Amino acid sequence: MTSPTSRRTLLGALLASGALAAAPGIARSAGHPAPTRPPRPRPTALRTGTLFLGTYTPAGPGIGVAAYDSATGRITARTPVTGVQNPSYLALHPTGGTLYAVNEQWSGGVTAVALGGDGTFRVLGTRSTGGSGPCHLSVHPSGRWLLTAHYTSGSVAVHPLAADGSIGERTDLVAHTSPAPGPGQSGPHAHQIVTAPDGNHVLATDLGNDTVYTYRLDQTRGTLRQLSYARLRPGAGPRHLAFHPGGRHAYLACEVDNTAVVCGYDPATGRLTPGAPQSTGTGAATSYPAQFLVTADGRFAYLANRGHNSIARYAVEGGGAALRLLDTVPAGGDFPRHTAFSPDGTLLFAANQRSGTVTVLRVDAASGALTPAGAPYTAPSAVCVLPL
């Protein structure tokens, strides 16, 4: 995650270049204020942020680019990054200078895009991942390795990253061949790969194998060594996990059986221990839960339910060891496939795939309650949202 300073530096450059319009209340004065009117105090925080959108082409534009007003939730379109095929998931380099996208197609790839200080974007190049249907990627906290998960081929890959953010040739490709898929599952479908908060372990969820794998990344050779795996009940379909900031618990969204699972996590070994399945707040309806978000203070967690078109709100209890369902609220669009917080945590963005919209919900810091902010933003085939 890029630092607030890096985000402000990038955003300032975008505003200065005219790539993003200044938000209301951030006026550029051509001269000194009138003597009879004292100057307005400088704002303590920028109101305008940048929003990158992952899409499926050709329905979507490539990588969508927009600006958002953090006070109103209003989103305004900007010129997209074109020429990137099926960039269905996005990730940012820790320095904030490079954006990465999967190319979710049969012959999978990953693409790097340089975010220029003058507000321009430049595609640095694409590398083959060696797998099919890459659907998720993340950058190791060191900034030296790109990790990718393939849904279709059920494998995970590693690529080195150069100092300029460009992607090198793949250094590893690991197929999820064991354990075998359970009843009703057709085969492995890796859906996410992330580095644990301890920085020493890489975890990959596999929806088809009902398994979460723990790896050790060799940071000299760029290879993965499996340490352990956690098996979910047959037919669970673990899709995405999110760690509690305490680093000892994680929350799994299980797509197939419509459940949420609290897991214990041991930072010393990287071992994940799943607990009992619990409600997603959608009743008997098929909701295809997509992913969890956890607030920075660790007090609340949110689960996007695609079929139910809702966001479930949980209170986090026991230092992260338990989730208590509080309510569900409408996501404001159809099939909220991906959600993300604004950098300050005051807004929750939802990319609604079927309605082709991005909706914004305001997050109450005290109660965690969600309320609509601004009007839905039209974004054809929006499947990932990355606010800076």
Side-chain angles (χ1 to χ4, degrees), residues 191-213:
H191 218 304
Q192 182 196 35
I193 183 165
V194 294
T195 304
D198 57 72
N200 295 320
H201 302 98
V202 171
L203 281 78
T205 63
D206 195 297
L207 184 150
N209 279 358
D210 298 319
T211 298
V212 182
Y213 298 86

Side-chain angles (χ1 to χ4, degrees), residues 275-302:
Q278 60 188 84
S279 172
T280 61
T282 62
T286 302
S287 70
Y288 307 109
Q291 59 155 138
F292 269 103
L293 290 178
V294 186
T295 55
D297 60 11
R299 296 177 58 228
F300 300 100
Y302 304 90

Side-chain angles (χ1 to χ4, degrees), residues 42-188:
R42 296 183 64 183
T44 56
L46 292 169
R47 284 181 53 178
T48 303
T50 309
L51 199 64
F52 292 104
L53 303 174
T55 70
Y56 284 118
T57 54
I63 300 175
V65 183
Y68 68 91
D69 187 310
S70 62
T72 65
R74 182 173 181 264
I75 301 175
T76 307
R78 295 292 179 257
T79 303
V81 181
T82 57
V84 183
Q85 298 300 307
N86 294 321
S88 64
Y89 201 89
L90 309 173
L92 191 69
H93 192 278
T95 63
T98 310
L99 183 70
Y100 299 97
V102 298
N103 308 123
E104 190 175 344
Q105 46 205 17
W106 183 259
S107 181
V110 283
T111 297
V113 179
L115 308 181
D118 57 355
T120 60
F121 308 110
R122 180 168 57 93
V123 177
L124 297 175
T126 298
R127 294 284 188 181
S128 168
T129 60
S132 296
C135 61
H136 185 271
L137 80 174
S138 62
V139 183
H140 188 268
S142 67
R144 297 179 53 231
W145 306 101
L146 185 66
L147 310 168
T148 308
H150 303 96
Y151 178 84
T152 305
S153 57
S155 58
V156 293
V158 183
H159 288 78
L161 298 176
D164 66 353
S166 59
I167 306 170
E169 290 287 352
R170 185 183 70 251
T171 53
D172 204 3
L173 179 67
V174 179
H176 291 167
T177 57
S178 178
Q185 298 279 41
S186 61

Side-chain angles (χ1 to χ4, degrees), residues 2 38 43 85 91 157 175 177 199 201 203 220 239 246 262 264 371 380:
T2 184
Q85 298 300 307
T177 57
H201 302 98
L203 281 78
T220 300
R239 177 185 171 92
V262 178
T371 54

